[in-house]
Amino acid sequence: MNVTINQEGNKYDVVLEGRLDTTNVEQFQKDIAPLMASGKSEIELDCTEMEYTSSQGLRMFLMLQKYVNQQGGSMVMKNMRPQVKEVFDITGFSSIIKII
């Protein structure tokens, strides 16, 4: 999984590429650590090139969403591929995380 973070003030544009699973979830957690240290912010995750997420990846997105909520920020995931969106729908995560 490649993670690219661009920051403009309190807004973070995050581009996710590849697969998120047990083999790289620890690196992903390190990659998104700056987002969790930012305080109140607006986070937009572009999932155009995200091919897959495992349950561990879902856990990371939930953790990030909870943190953002606690800080009074906002998070949205966009451009999700149908097969990835289906995982979020089946697990109920699409009712927890805003997906556009």
Side-chain angles (χ1 to χ4, degrees), residues 1-6 13-21 23-25 27-28 31-32 44-54 61 77-81 83-84:
M1 165 76 59
N2 292 319
V3 179
T4 305
I5 300 174
N6 298 306
D13 290 316
V14 183
V15 178
L16 306 175
E17 298 177 62
R19 299 174 55 89
L20 179 56
D21 55 33
T23 64
N24 57 15
V25 74
Q27 182 59 50
F28 180 71
D31 291 340
I32 65 169
E44 192 170 279
L45 301 160
D46 186 342
C47 302
T48 304
E49 299 299 323
M50 187 170 80
E51 300 167 3
Y52 171 82
T53 185
S54 69
F61 292 123
M77 298 181 81
K78 67 178 188 176
N79 303 325
M80 205 174 274
R81 292 180 181 194
Q83 67 269 23
V84 175

